[in-house]
Amino acid sequence: AVNSIEEMNALLVADDFPFSLFIMTYVTLSDTRGVNIVAVAPNLALVDTLMEGGVYYQDTDDPDVQDMMATALESSAAYALIDLQTLGMDQDGVNEAFEAVATFERMHGKYADYNGKYVREDFGGMAEGVRNSMFTLDELCAVSPNFPMRETLNKLGMGASPQYVVTPEWVAAFNGIWTTENINVIKLIAKMNVMKETRPFRDPTTSNAVLEDMGRSVMDTETFAYEACDQMNTFSVTLAKTYIEETLGAGAKERMTKLSQDLIDTYKGLAANTPWLGEQSKQQVIEKLDHITLNVLEPAGGYYDMSGVELVPTEAGGTLLGNYLKLKQYHQ
């Protein structure tokens, strides 16, 4: 039903739409103050990371590189296009979809560069040559006014970082193609990304039939069920907690915490008794060790509290996909 970029933006940031489809974020590291530095990267239908963008879309006339990029692009598109076939799209429609998405992503992706060098140099040698990869949230939003960057980062739980690492050319190019003129291909990419994310929770019968026709391997029922449960937005943390409790036994957290603290204390003793360290250096080492926060055998903030989730069993009309969306919405 979306017919404009404004309507698409409203959909993406809506509380009852539990997807963030067009960018991905990850914490690169914490600086010396313990503040998270967040990398922002593209996540279109055929590109998952800036590393892939750098490989696929370098702007070059070298025919060998062009061939390599085309092969890599087709490989990355395989399952996305299978998803479209499971919706009933014929081969001609799939081919047209691939060309439309590939053209759109080249408009964006040819500016992308492998962002590892920005992370390395910014936080390692602090090279001035890549300082323009650092943005505040306000600066990032100013470079991408067409896309709801602030709302999306808030939705991803990444809106509070003082700094973001991005490829400036990517942000500008992405903003340039995020327009109503491109709404049909943006909608197509949105559909493909929803399909990609929900693939482990949809009945695999149709996609398996397509895969078998293509001579590809299919996932057995047990593997399908395991992968559905082992997703971050489903039960992976609960499974980890259960594994720890059953494998390590009662008191494991306390035992491992004591062992970790013993190691810290040992290092403090070594630092205090190292003859070639000056007094100031010794105190700096000890101070750093004193500021280590131990968080043993559980995620930061503790395990998910699942008591507020009411999953619907199959006998009551529930589906794996429906329950996944309930969990995803709850975790947000």
Side-chain angles (χ1 to χ4, degrees):
V2 166
N3 291 306
S4 68
I5 206 65
E6 291 78 16
E7 291 177 359
M8 175 59 73
N9 288 349
L11 173 66
L12 292 178
V13 302
D15 290 338
D16 59 352
F17 186 74
F19 301 99
S20 297
L21 303 174
F22 291 94
I23 65 169
M24 62 180 291
T25 62
Y26 55 94
V27 177
T28 62
L29 49 74
S30 297
D31 69 9
T32 54
R33 299 163 298 164
V35 177
N36 288 336
I37 308 299
V38 175
V40 179
N43 182 36
L44 301 187
L46 308 181
V47 177
D48 288 324
T49 67
L50 271 176
M51 183 185 295
E52 293 185 40
V55 172
Y56 294 174
Y57 299 130
Q58 287 301 325
D59 201 9
T60 177
D61 295 323
D62 185 326
D64 291 336
V65 176
Q66 291 284 0
D67 288 344
M68 179 191 72
M69 292 183 342
T71 300
L73 190 60
E74 290 174 7
S75 174
S76 71
Y79 279 92
L81 299 179
I82 289 170
D83 283 336
L84 294 180
Q85 287 179 280
T86 65
L87 296 178
M89 187 178 287
D90 61 23
Q91 190 60 51
D92 288 342
V94 167
N95 292 340
E96 290 177 9
F98 172 77
E99 289 302 325
V101 173
T103 299
F104 181 81
E105 293 202 14
R106 286 192 185 99
M107 292 166 60
H108 140 272
K110 70 179 181 180
Y111 299 101
D113 194 2
Y114 170 44
N115 84 320
K117 75 174 187 181
Y118 295 100
V119 175
R120 261 198 321 275
E121 295 182 29
D122 269 337
F123 303 118
M126 304 295 284
E128 288 301 318
V130 293
R131 294 305 300 167
N132 66 344
S133 65
M134 302 293 294
F135 285 73
T136 65
L137 182 56
D138 286 342
E139 290 169 342
L140 186 55
C141 294
V143 180
S144 54
N146 294 345
F147 182 79
M149 187 67 73
R150 187 184 306 275
E151 295 87 346
T152 298
L153 289 174
N154 285 336
K155 193 172 185 177
L156 289 166
M158 297 288 190
S161 174
Q163 288 187 312
Y164 298 83
V165 181
V166 301
T167 304
E169 293 82 1
W170 165 69
V171 183
F174 184 65
N175 183 69
I177 60 176
W178 193 259
T179 63
T180 295
E181 180 183 9
N182 294 317
I183 194 63
N184 287 333
V185 69
I186 289 172
K187 287 167 64 173
L188 176 61
I189 291 172
K191 181 183 294 185
M192 293 167 77
N193 276 338
V194 169
M195 295 286 285
K196 177 173 70 174
E197 180 177 331
T198 59
R199 192 179 296 136
F201 313 102
R202 290 184 279 112
D203 182 356
T205 305
T206 305
S207 58
N208 281 353
V210 174
L211 288 168
E212 286 177 338
D213 287 343
M214 298 173 65
R216 291 173 175 260
S217 60
V218 299
M219 193 180 298
D220 61 57
T221 303
E222 185 175 345
T223 303
F224 179 82
Y226 174 81
E227 294 209 353
C229 291
D230 194 33
Q231 302 286 323
M232 185 57 68
N233 279 323
T234 55
F235 300 109
S236 62
V237 176
T238 303
L239 290 173
K241 179 183 179 183
T242 303
Y243 175 82
I244 290 169
E245 289 173 347
E246 294 189 359
T247 304
L248 300 181
K253 178 179 174 65
E254 290 73 18
R255 294 197 307 273
M256 294 297 290
T257 300
K258 182 180 184 307
L259 176 61
S260 301
Q261 187 60 54
D262 287 347
L263 286 169
I264 292 172
D265 292 342
T266 299
Y267 276 115
K268 287 170 66 176
L270 288 171
N273 294 288
T274 299
W276 49 264
L277 275 177
E279 287 303 315
Q280 183 178 1
S281 296
K282 289 179 181 180
Q283 289 306 311
Q284 287 175 333
V285 171
I286 292 170
E287 182 180 356
K288 186 165 186 175
L289 289 167
D290 282 338
H291 281 80
I292 290 177
T293 299
L294 294 177
N295 190 51
V296 179
L297 294 182
E298 67 176 35
Y303 290 104
Y304 288 136
D305 176 11
M306 297 287 193
S307 60
V309 182
E310 292 187 14
L311 302 182
V312 182
T314 53
E315 58 268 24
T319 65
L320 185 59
L321 176 59
N323 284 326
Y324 165 69
L325 294 177
K326 278 179 174 285
L327 286 164
K328 182 175 172 64
Q329 185 73 28
Y330 182 75
H331 288 329
Q332 281 192 343

